[in-house]
Amino acid sequence: MSAPLPPDTTGLADALALPALHASHSGCWLASRDGEVRGLSRGEAIMAAAETPLLMLNAPLVASRLGYPELSGLDLLELFAFVHPARFMVPTPRGLAEVLGLAIPHDEAEVPHLLARAAGVLFAQVEAEDWIERPGAWSTLQSLSRLRWPWASLLAPHVRRPERAEPWLFAKLPEWEERPPRPQPAHVAIAEDEVTARLDQLTGEGSERREGQREYACAAARIFAPRPEVGQPNMLLAQAGTGVGKTLGYLAPASLWSQAAGGTVWVSTYTKALQRQLRRESRRAWPDVDAGEARETPAVVVRKGRENYLCLLNLEDALQGGFAGRPGIFAQIVARWAAFSEDGDMVGGDLPGWLPTLFRRRGMAAVTDRRGECVYAGCPHYRKCFIERAARQSAHADLVIANHALVMVHAARGSGNGDEREGQQRPARIVFDEGHHLFDAADSTFAAALSGSEAIEMRRWVIGPEGKSKGRRRGLAARLSDVASYDDAGDAAIGKAREAADLLPADGWLSRIAEGEPWGPIERLLAAVRTLTFARDASAQDAGYGIETEVTDLDAAFIGAASDAKDALARLRQPLMALSARLEAILADPPDWLDAQGRQRIDGARHSLRWRIDTLIAWEAMCARMGGPVDADFVDWFAVERAEAREFDIAIHRRWLDPMRPFARTVLEPAHGVMQTSATLCDRQEDGPDWARALERSGAVQLGVAAALTEAASPFDYARQAQVIIVTDVKKGDIAGLAAAYGRLIEHSRGGVLGLFTAIRRLRAVHARIADRLARGGLPLFAQHIDPIDTGTLVDIFRDDPKASLLGTDALRDGVDVPGESLRLVVMEQVPWPKPSILHRARRAAHMVPGAKSGEKGGKQAYDDAIVRGRLAQAFGRLIRSRADSGAFVVLSPAFPSRLLSAFPEGTPVSRVTLDEALKMLDSRVSDRDISGHEPGVEEEAV
């Protein structure tokens, strides 16, 4: 956690007499203006909040606890975001007290007093001479006053007016500089003694010498050797148990090679949590200042997809009246953050993860580029763009920290997210950490879907706003008005594209289809998809989940609808291709009227066109498939997407049967060296790791590369530190029994429980039954999909409070790093079997060996078992993160097959007992624990 801010010394906290409300699952407390605190009912709390603005912490969460969604007040999180933008804080009373240097409340009745004192401290800090976030505060506050931000009138007397006018945000942001392309890296050899010496340097003097980590680091150095021939990268598959220290293990040779060869190493992760860890640990190998001289560009750069970054053009539109009310307040606070942000990353960067959730609507989507509408060099803020700066820095960095999807797209198109200017080099030396997720990442990256939501976005990109729509969005004609005015061929292509886009779904398309009145060929095709899917899939209709069916046995009417849709898509693609060719010609032989600004707009339009044309080609291929021969390389199906029985989309899906084929061709083949590593890279079978399956899911087999294999065992003593308990008397489908089991387990563990569910509906049912009772016992319970808090912040809250517990789904099974007392029990509500989808069924059939029995290698059950063991191993991996950790892993399933037990580390004791017996076992584990609320000293895992 960040160091606490200086405590209040002005006495202002006592003078700030504001009523404060705190509400949790255990009750409600209200402090009056004179400081008197009383307990009250939820109804009384709602009435009090309606009568006068109250101090509160996280208004949406308080509203959720009270069951009153319209609640508003003086939210201290908003005040903190204004006073200290880009600063981390756990959004709980405990976190607020720690960051402000105040006493942590001993019970919930003390929280209202804390809120009043915290408000006073923050007010005092804006008056302090050393308030480092003062620049821009006064100007922002004036705008917030006009938007009637509740804090504005209270803050106004305390925020000093500057002596001279403050520059606007867009004038303050630094510009990036163009640099010549980086030369190709030199071919260097790295000796083992150099690697081990660098590893010793990174781990630090006096640190424990780990032979497994040293062998792992030396093996990782192999991928930096010169490759033997084109299309044959040096490949390494490295399984390393938790605690081996993978991060520093591969950073040691990576830092040696990048500094000696002058090249860039890409490290790719699946979770944002590991990206943050990598950024922190990479500073050991690449300090910000090297030999006393600052670099022109950072040695380490974090790269993400452009939808993660603040779009300055969207922000400018929001600040100039595009947003009003609460969205306008959000835009002003985001602008204040942007002036202090390190990199403009709004998802996992230094923007507090809880900030967007305070405004309830999709405010963040409106200030990022999630529609692919970037105009690139045509943007007035292009030279200050956070995305462009990160792209240029990554081209000259020693280490680029990215995610699997971005690396795949970057490699596939020779650029970042489809734009050649976002990167000057393809990733050539890549370390895929969390490599067990590569198959799923490739599956998503190389997928295609023709859906109503995607089609209407295509329409809006071509046509622009229709009807009463407002905002910055403009159609092709508006973006290329100069081309339309001076170039007849370009004008004609734009006109034809505009006419063809009229055939795509428009606003209200889903309602028209549901009412049996689709308009246009695409809507008619989607209507046929919906009818067929409802007719054929009855498995989940009553449950309200999404439904699907295979693309088979289509009648003539359906095939005719698909043919009409294909023709409509081709009508749009052809003028877009003609326009693209015309823009290329204009740039190659520029006319007299083409000025620099016009060139920039045309250049940006070319890259946007390329993406849309590729999408249309994929959609046409999917329509052509209807009624035609089956392509053995792909799996196609129809789907009606639903959430809680509410339809939100209709789609035709296409996935590669084996997504590692395009991965091998686009990512591995151009690379020089690739490492894939994870604690669960291989399926753990009774006779050892299944390297054959790991190789098949790595892309090495598809490329014909002989990958090197290495394994490093975890240094943890699982026989002493961990225990697996399979509870045999909680019946499947018994929600009351399941909730009772969770409640009793949390109580006996005294918090510190991570509960994992395979269905959101069961998660909600369990939470509703036990949250209030646990809270009254001093054991707060938080939950994904229930609490209005993002997942990353939920984990921060869980990590910060040893008495808290957290319920969640798949997102919490990976990437959650909570060492110490905060996580001492992992509970799974049942065996995480794969969903029996059409795609899963097709892939399982493809891996079956003729004649193989179900449980044998190549059998149907063996394929599912490998997936389940991987999920169990990842979930178990959340439990023991350091040598000082200990805990239990509980599965509430009487039918837990013994063949799945190899998912757990060798030596881990396993017990099959009743719930009562399990609780006695847990009692013996926690009897000597310190759960006073202060985490004891923990020896951190060597990373």
Side-chain angles (χ1 to χ4, degrees):
M1 176 172 290
S2 304
L5 296 166
D8 171 45
T9 58
T10 65
L12 183 59
D14 295 331
L16 196 65
L18 290 171
L21 174 67
H22 172 62
S24 73
H25 283 294
S26 62
C28 306
W29 293 267
L30 178 69
S32 62
R33 291 180 182 274
D34 59 10
E36 180 184 354
V37 177
R38 65 184 178 92
L40 65 169
S41 68
R42 291 182 180 179
E44 291 174 317
I46 293 170
M47 291 179 62
E51 291 174 357
T52 182
L54 300 177
L55 280 175
M56 58 187 69
L57 186 69
N58 196 337
L61 183 61
V62 174
S64 175
R65 297 290 187 259
L66 295 178
Y68 185 68
E70 301 305 318
L71 182 73
S72 62
L74 295 164
D75 195 335
L76 278 160
L77 291 183
E78 294 181 28
L79 177 62
F80 186 89
F82 175 86
V83 177
H84 298 295
R87 185 178 176 90
F88 174 77
M89 186 193 80
V90 177
T92 61
R94 176 191 175 102
L96 180 66
E98 288 179 335
V99 79
L100 295 180
L102 297 171
I104 297 173
H106 294 293
D107 58 60
E108 296 197 274
E110 296 181 8
V111 173
H113 280 158
L114 168 67
L115 302 185
R117 288 194 298 271
V121 170
L122 290 169
F123 272 54
Q125 287 168 355
V126 304
E127 291 188 340
E129 292 296 330
D130 59 351
W131 183 33
I132 61 174
E133 294 101 336
R134 183 183 304 281
W138 187 86
S139 299
T140 300
L141 190 59
Q142 306 315 299
S143 298
L144 288 169
S145 296
R146 290 189 288 272
L147 290 165
R148 299 187 178 184
W149 185 42
W151 283 108
S153 59
L154 297 172
L155 270 175
H158 306 284
V159 178
R160 186 188 316 154
R161 181 170 184 166
E163 296 180 358
R164 59 183 63 182
E166 294 178 316
W168 200 26
L169 167 69
F170 304 101
K172 290 188 295 185
L173 291 174
E175 293 189 353
W176 48 261
E177 301 268 343
E178 282 285 12
R179 298 183 59 194
R182 194 176 193 181
Q184 70 170 357
H187 295 292
V188 297
I190 305 174
E192 285 194 5
D193 57 346
E194 294 179 291
V195 174
T196 55
R198 175 57 62 90
L199 182 61
D200 290 341
Q201 175 190 343
L202 299 183
T203 54
E205 185 178 353
S207 63
E208 176 189 4
R209 181 186 174 105
R210 299 187 179 185
E211 290 304 322
Q213 187 183 38
R214 296 169 76 83
E215 293 172 4
Y216 176 90
C218 292
R222 300 173 189 167
I223 72 166
F224 299 106
R227 67 178 176 180
E229 59 181 281
V230 174
Q232 295 289 297
N234 297 306
M235 279 195 68
L236 171 69
L237 272 60
Q239 177 151 295
T242 306
V244 166
K246 298 191 303 294
T247 307
L248 295 185
Y250 57 69
L251 286 182
S255 59
L256 280 173
W257 179 84
S258 66
Q259 291 163 10
T264 301
V265 178
W266 287 66
V267 176
S268 179
T269 77
Y270 190 73
T271 63
K272 293 181 175 65
L274 183 55
Q275 284 189 334
R276 289 194 294 268
Q277 177 184 323
L278 273 165
R279 183 66 184 95
R280 182 174 64 251
E281 298 305 326
S282 66
R283 293 191 176 97
R284 303 192 194 188
W286 289 277
D288 292 334
V289 177
D290 185 18
E293 296 183 4
R295 292 172 53 113
E296 289 184 61
T297 58
V300 179
V301 174
V302 177
R303 283 294 310 277
K304 298 180 181 179
R306 62 173 48 248
E307 68 277 1
N308 291 274
Y309 295 91
L310 174 67
C311 171
L312 295 176
L313 193 56
N314 283 348
L315 178 63
E316 181 184 29
D317 178 65
L319 296 176
Q320 292 184 332
F323 286 4
R326 292 287 292 168
I329 294 170
F330 175 70
Q332 292 291 337
I333 294 178
V334 166
R336 180 141 168 74
W337 160 78
F340 296 92
S341 174
E342 179 182 2
D343 55 11
D345 179 5
M346 299 189 74
V347 183
D350 50 19
L351 181 80
W354 40 260
L355 182 61
T357 65
L358 302 181
F359 295 87
R360 303 178 189 176
R361 298 185 181 180
R362 294 166 47 187
M364 195 164 75
V367 293
T368 54
D369 181 25
R370 300 200 173 185
R371 296 168 176 166
E373 293 185 315
C374 181
V375 294
Y376 299 94
C379 174
H381 309 301
Y382 182 67
R383 301 287 300 187
K384 299 182 178 184
C385 176
F386 289 114
I387 306 166
E388 297 292 336
R389 179 182 295 113
R392 280 153 182 78
Q393 288 176 342
S394 66
H396 294 271
D398 289 347
L399 178 71
V400 177
I401 301 169
N403 58 62
H404 295 347
L406 180 68
V407 170
M408 291 178 195
V409 174
H410 194 110
R413 301 184 180 179
S415 65
N417 211 20
D419 176 14
E420 292 175 356
R421 295 160 301 173
E422 285 197 359
Q424 297 167 350
Q425 300 172 337
R426 289 176 182 239
R429 279 87 182 173
I430 315 169
V431 176
F432 287 104
D433 204 338
E434 299 179 309
H436 60 284
H437 278 302
L438 266 179
F439 186 93
D440 292 333
D443 191 27
S444 297
T445 300
F446 299 108
L450 170 55
S451 68
S453 58
E454 291 292 326
I456 198 170
E457 282 298 316
M458 180 75 75
R459 175 192 181 97
R460 290 167 177 166
W461 180 80
V462 175
I463 296 176
E466 297 181 271
K468 298 180 180 179
S469 300
K470 295 181 180 179
R472 183 179 62 82
R473 168 173 282 178
R474 295 182 297 163
L476 268 180
R479 289 197 297 272
L480 296 174
S481 57
D482 45 3
V483 174
S485 299
Y486 292 94
D487 185 81
D488 292 340
D491 181 42
I494 292 172
K496 290 181 180 178
R498 172 67 175 76
E499 292 175 5
D502 269 331
L503 298 177
L504 297 177
D507 290 338
W509 69 274
L510 197 56
S511 297
R512 286 193 297 274
I513 288 176
E515 294 166 1
E517 297 180 353
W519 181 91
I522 310 300
E523 287 189 21
R524 285 194 288 271
L525 174 60
L526 294 176
V529 167
R530 181 180 184 272
T531 299
L532 193 67
T533 306
F534 270 100
R536 294 184 177 181
D537 184 358
S539 62
Q541 290 188 26
D542 293 338
Y545 301 135
I547 57 176
E548 61 182 23
T549 192
E550 299 97 329
V551 179
T552 185
D553 294 328
L554 305 177
D555 60 21
F558 193 105
I559 295 171
S563 178
D564 292 343
K566 178 180 177 295
D567 292 342
L569 295 170
R571 284 185 58 185
L572 176 56
R573 173 182 53 81
Q574 290 162 1
L576 292 183
M577 293 179 68
L579 178 60
S580 180
R582 186 58 198 150
L583 296 182
E584 296 275 2
I586 290 174
L587 290 178
D589 184 17
D592 295 340
W593 53 264
L594 187 64
D595 58 12
Q597 188 175 11
R599 173 181 286 273
Q600 291 173 346
R601 281 197 301 274
I602 291 174
D603 201 36
R606 285 174 51 239
H607 295 283
S608 295
L609 278 167
R610 182 185 309 154
W611 174 19
R612 269 71 185 193
I613 291 169
D614 288 346
T615 300
L616 289 167
I617 290 172
W619 289 353
E620 289 179 62
M622 294 168 69
C623 291
R625 151 80 175 88
M626 306 300 132
V630 174
D631 190 330
D633 290 334
F634 296 96
V635 181
D636 300 312
W637 74 95
F638 302 140
V640 177
E641 314 291 353
R642 302 192 299 175
E644 298 180 348
R646 182 185 64 85
E647 295 180 28
F648 62 88
D649 209 354
I650 303 168
I652 305 172
H653 291 279
R654 163 164 281 198
R655 296 286 182 100
W656 282 84
L657 183 64
D658 180 5
M660 303 316 288
R661 288 182 58 186
F663 172 82
R665 184 179 68 250
T666 59
V667 180
L668 298 183
E669 189 173 344
H672 288 243
V674 177
M675 177 181 184
Q676 298 177 18
T677 185
S678 168
T680 56
L681 199 63
C682 293
D683 174 32
R684 298 171 182 168
Q685 298 184 344
E686 293 180 358
D687 56 351
D690 185 358
W691 282 109
R693 183 174 186 271
L695 285 165
E696 185 178 347
R697 293 172 72 89
S698 72
V701 172
Q702 292 79 352
L703 196 61
V705 172
L709 310 175
T710 188
E711 184 176 10
S714 172
F716 298 150
D717 183 358
Y718 288 106
R720 177 185 60 83
Q721 293 180 257
Q723 185 173 24
V724 174
I725 302 174
I726 300 171
V727 175
T728 59
D729 58 348
V730 177
K731 296 180 180 179
K732 185 176 181 179
D734 181 4
I735 296 297
L738 181 65
Y742 263 99
R744 295 179 68 189
L745 287 165
I746 293 172
E747 288 170 338
H748 278 70
S749 185
R750 302 174 196 172
V753 175
L754 177 64
L756 301 174
F757 287 76
T758 58
I760 297 174
R761 178 171 294 184
R762 287 194 294 274
L763 183 156
R764 287 176 171 160
V766 168
H767 180 272
R769 284 171 166 80
I770 65 176
D772 288 0
R773 186 184 85 241
L774 292 173
R776 287 192 293 270
L779 300 174
L781 180 65
F782 297 90
Q784 261 188 313
H785 310 290
I786 296 174
D787 292 318
I789 305 174
D790 66 287
T791 300
T793 300
L794 283 172
V795 174
D796 290 335
I797 294 171
F798 178 52
R799 184 186 293 113
D800 191 55
D801 186 355
K803 293 184 179 181
S805 295
L806 176 60
L807 307 181
T809 52
D810 288 354
L812 297 181
R813 197 174 58 219
D814 290 286
V816 174
D817 186 16
V818 183
E821 282 293 295
S822 289
L823 175 53
R824 46 194 180 272
L825 181 63
V826 175
V827 182
M828 296 196 79
E829 49 113 8
Q830 65 178 35
V831 178
W833 296 111
K835 180 182 177 182
S837 65
I838 291 171
L839 181 61
H840 171 74
R841 186 175 64 199
R843 287 176 175 161
R844 183 174 62 184
H847 282 79
M848 289 177 62
V849 175
K853 294 182 180 180
S854 179
E856 295 178 347
K857 189 172 183 179
K860 179 171 65 174
Q861 188 62 60
Y863 181 81
D864 288 353
D865 287 350
I867 295 173
V868 175
R869 281 192 292 264
R871 293 174 178 177
L872 289 170
Q874 279 299 312
F876 181 88
R878 305 308 100 213
L879 185 63
I880 307 299
R881 309 299 295 176
S882 74
R883 289 181 182 272
D885 285 355
S886 65
F889 185 90
V890 177
V891 184
L892 302 174
S893 174
F896 189 99
S898 297
R899 64 181 183 273
L900 301 179
L901 293 176
S902 59
F904 306 115
E906 187 176 354
T908 306
V910 179
S911 303
R912 293 180 184 268
V913 296
T914 64
L915 179 61
D916 287 338
E917 292 171 325
L919 296 173
K920 291 177 182 178
M921 297 171 70
L922 293 177
D923 280 339
S924 65
R925 277 188 166 273
V926 304
S927 58
D928 298 327
R929 274 206 180 95
D930 170 19
I931 58 165
S932 60
H934 294 83
E935 185 174 324
V938 172
E939 176 194 346
E940 295 293 336
E941 173 192 348
V943 293

